[in-house]
Amino acid sequence: MRKLWGGRFEGKTDALIEQLNNSLPFDSRMWRQDIAGSIAHARMLGEVGIITEKESNELRIGLAGLAADLGSGSQELPEDAEDVHTAVEGLLSERLGAVAGKLHTARSRNDQVATDVRLYLRDAIDVLTAELRELQQSLLTIAESHFDTILPGYTHLQHAQPIVLSHHLLAYFWMLDRDRERLSDVRKRVNRSPLGAAALAGTGYPIDRELTANLLGFEEILENSLDAVSDRDFSIEFLSAAAILSMHISRLAEEIVMWNSPEFRFVTLDDAVTTGSSIMPQKKNPDVAELARGKTGRVFGALISLLTLMKGLPLSYNKDMQEDKEPLFDTIDTLRLVIPAMRMTIETAQFNRERMVATLDRDFSTATDLADHLVWQGFTFRDAHDIVGGVVRTCIARGIGLEDLTPDSIAAIEPRLKESADAAIAAVTVTASVSARKSRGGTAPDAVRAQWARAIDRLKSAQSV
Ligand code: ARG
């Protein structure tokens, strides 16, 4: 395919150098955005009189036809083109002849590529946002049947206090909700038009940047042509939101891996989301969750790649910036796989209620409740903490748990509990423990139901945005 810059050159580009220089293998996926940008540009050129209305129409009809044929597969992009912009323009000139040569008036590949990436990323953000919403919805659906499923809440991976499973799952709902918020915030800054910045300095043609911005659905126009062609902060911002999102998903994945282990047995994963071992016939491995956790590395890497790519570049466009696309696209592709895969994993998982509550057996995780009980009897929390510490020590020495204590035995261990022994025994059951934590955002089933209702509202209001 003919080079867009051949005129100045006598010799041919070396084949190895072409391989280094060409971006078509990875930027070809932006052909829809490239054509959309060109249609808007052609229309503007006609409306302001830089080309005739007839020429503008011809270009637009030719571009639309090309898009249809690329879409249907009856036309392919020429493999030997330097990049997607060259490929599209080359195909257009095969179809239209000389008039195709007018399309690039008042435009450069520098504003063109920035436009294409912004359009591509805008669409990708919308798709990812929808996927995230579905994952959030699944968490809510599962949470709805587990307001009374009790399991250990951990700190330091030690049993800390009992919680209900809905509470645990809703924690991820809110993390993902902030991820969604971050993406929609990034989208505002992605959705600004660089088109019309031309190579770097703007153009002498009487272009109408508002018109092309409106046609492409951009909300604002980038005010400085140097900035427009030379910053990639919008991609970096997206990648940092993606990195945080991946970190959240990775934590969920890690819990699923752990919960699926024979030591925990909190979940049983479906065959559809597990694989076997080639040597150990008994194995059923939680690969989806492991890969979700593992792929976080490449998403973090993409963020660092782009930050590093950009940090030393002088204004304005530099060819280095062609390297912005692969990490960006890889991140989009990764998340488009991982988010729905994690949704399938949790949707098809069995949560083993009996096992969860059984692990609380004799684990002293309601010791705080005994201390709280003493506070209600008039002790300071410090004294109460001390007293309960002594009770726990005695129980451990006798090989029993708090649940094995009777009003008589607790009064014998700790005379200061004698008067309220019945209430003390009632306070240390796991159901009493969770039910007590009614504070907003706490684990009491009623509080979690209220939180769940807020989460439902939140997701509904997000649907309309
Ligand atoms: N393939 C190039 C990129 O991705 C397009 C812009 C080329 N601009 C140029 N001045 N050579 O950045």
Side-chain angles (χ1 to χ4, degrees):
M1 173 141 285
R2 202 178 124 202
K3 291 204 162 61
L4 297 178
W5 37 264
R8 192 222 174 282
F9 288 77
E10 268 175 44
K12 272 185 58 143
T13 321
D14 183 89
L16 178 82
I17 303 308
E18 275 194 342
Q19 207 189 325
L20 172 68
N21 190 47
N22 290 2
S23 54
L24 189 72
F26 49 85
D27 68 16
S28 60
R29 64 161 77 198
M30 300 193 300
W31 64 261
R32 283 193 177 79
Q33 290 72 21
D34 196 73
I35 292 178
S38 287
I39 289 176
H41 183 67
R43 175 150 165 210
M44 182 278 292
L45 291 177
E47 289 206 7
V48 301
I50 297 172
I51 60 176
T52 66
E53 279 296 343
K54 182 167 169 290
E55 290 164 336
S56 168
N57 272 331
E58 271 178 70
L59 289 174
R60 280 183 283 150
I61 291 166
L63 286 162
L66 179 56
D69 294 348
L70 286 168
S72 73
S74 64
Q75 169 78 63
E76 285 186 359
L77 290 173
E79 274 172 29
D80 59 340
E82 186 179 333
D83 54 26
V84 66
H85 327 293
T86 314
V88 167
E89 197 180 317
L91 290 177
L92 194 67
S93 80
E94 278 172 16
R95 288 173 177 223
L96 303 184
V99 70
K102 299 211 167 191
L103 178 61
H104 213 52
T105 317
R107 187 178 70 171
S108 153
R109 279 185 295 164
N110 297 349
D111 58 342
Q112 198 178 351
V113 70
T115 304
D116 292 4
V117 175
R118 284 173 183 269
L119 292 175
Y120 188 90
L121 182 53
R122 188 179 72 187
D123 289 348
I125 287 174
D126 293 342
V127 171
L128 292 174
T129 303
E131 293 286 4
L132 262 184
R133 242 190 250 128
E134 299 212 359
L135 177 54
Q136 287 182 286
Q137 181 56 56
S138 298
L139 287 164
L140 290 184
T141 306
I142 302 166
E144 194 176 5
S145 20
H146 292 287
F147 291 120
D148 299 302
T149 302
I150 301 178
L151 76 160
Y154 296 83
T155 61
H156 314 267
L157 204 56
Q158 305 289 317
H159 288 200
Q161 291 170 348
I163 58 170
V164 299
L165 180 57
S166 305
H167 192 204
H168 193 107
L169 296 173
L170 282 169
Y172 286 104
F173 172 92
W174 295 110
M175 294 180 217
L176 298 177
D177 207 61
R178 290 189 297 276
D179 290 323
R180 225 169 26 72
E181 244 179 81
R182 264 184 286 274
L183 285 178
S184 83
D185 197 53
V186 171
R187 193 187 189 281
K188 290 182 212 151
R189 284 177 290 280
V190 170
N191 205 18
R192 293 178 186 171
S193 179
L195 196 58
L200 74 160
T203 174
Y205 297 98
I207 57 167
D208 183 345
R209 290 190 65 196
E210 283 76 17
L211 177 58
T212 47
N214 281 335
L215 289 172
L216 293 168
F218 283 122
E219 269 158 40
E220 286 178 48
I221 289 173
L222 292 162
E223 292 297 343
N224 182 303
S225 62
L226 299 171
D227 171 41
V229 296
S230 76
D231 204 356
R232 294 293 181 265
D233 58 353
F234 62 97
S235 293
I236 295 174
E237 243 190 279
F238 167 76
L239 290 174
S240 69
I244 297 172
L245 160 61
S246 299
M247 174 274 288
H248 286 151
I249 290 189
S250 185
R251 294 185 73 179
L252 175 60
E254 163 63 11
E255 294 206 306
I256 287 170
V257 171
M258 217 163 55
W259 285 10
N260 184 59
S261 72
E263 284 73 18
F264 274 84
R265 286 190 283 116
F266 283 6
V267 288
T268 310
L269 297 180
D270 195 77
D271 282 0
V273 299
T274 50
T275 63
S277 153
S278 57
I279 174 168
M280 297 163 282
Q282 85 284 8
K283 290 292 291 287
K284 211 171 120 178
N285 298 324
D287 299 46
V288 172
E290 293 173 273
L291 287 167
R293 190 179 59 187
K295 281 181 187 290
T296 307
R298 61 203 285 165
V299 176
F300 290 3
L303 171 61
I304 297 300
S305 285
L306 244 69
L307 284 168
T308 313
L309 172 69
M310 296 302 296
K311 72 174 267 294
L313 296 183
L315 297 184
S316 59
Y317 178 83
N318 300 271
K319 191 58 171 269
D320 315 44
M321 288 156 66
Q322 179 163 288
E323 288 290 304
D324 64 348
K325 288 165 208 63
E326 283 169 291
L328 181 66
F329 296 157
D330 186 70
T331 298
I332 293 167
D333 294 346
T334 300
L335 292 178
R336 286 192 65 172
L337 266 179
V338 162
I339 302 171
M342 283 300 284
R343 179 170 54 74
M344 280 179 61
T345 305
I346 61 167
E347 274 175 3
T348 56
Q350 265 181 45
F351 292 86
N352 307 326
R353 302 163 191 261
E354 289 75 28
R355 170 66 187 165
M356 287 183 181
V357 73
T359 61
L360 289 160
D361 193 38
R362 296 181 173 82
D363 72 343
F364 298 100
S365 61
T366 58
T368 316
D369 299 277
L370 188 55
D372 289 341
H373 163 80
L374 282 164
V375 169
W376 288 114
Q377 308 309 308
F379 292 89
T380 65
F381 187 77
R382 261 315 127 232
D383 288 340
H385 188 284
D386 231 45
I387 294 169
V388 175
V391 174
V392 168
R393 211 169 348 103
T394 309
C395 286
I396 291 172
R398 295 187 189 171
I400 59 171
L402 292 177
E403 57 270 61
D404 299 314
L405 294 171
T406 60
D408 288 343
S409 62
I410 202 168
I413 293 172
E414 176 48 73
R416 282 170 286 184
L417 275 162
K418 188 168 182 196
E419 233 172 87
S420 62
D422 287 334
I425 294 306
V428 298
T429 65
V430 290
T431 28
S433 171
V434 294
S435 304
R437 294 194 163 64
K438 291 188 182 15
S439 53
R440 179 159 172 175
T443 208
D446 285 346
V448 178
R449 277 195 184 87
Q451 184 193 152
W452 184 85
R454 282 188 203 104
I456 289 274
D457 284 349
R458 174 78 190 157
L459 203 56
K460 275 205 198 109
S461 69
Q463 233 102 33
S464 52
V465 178

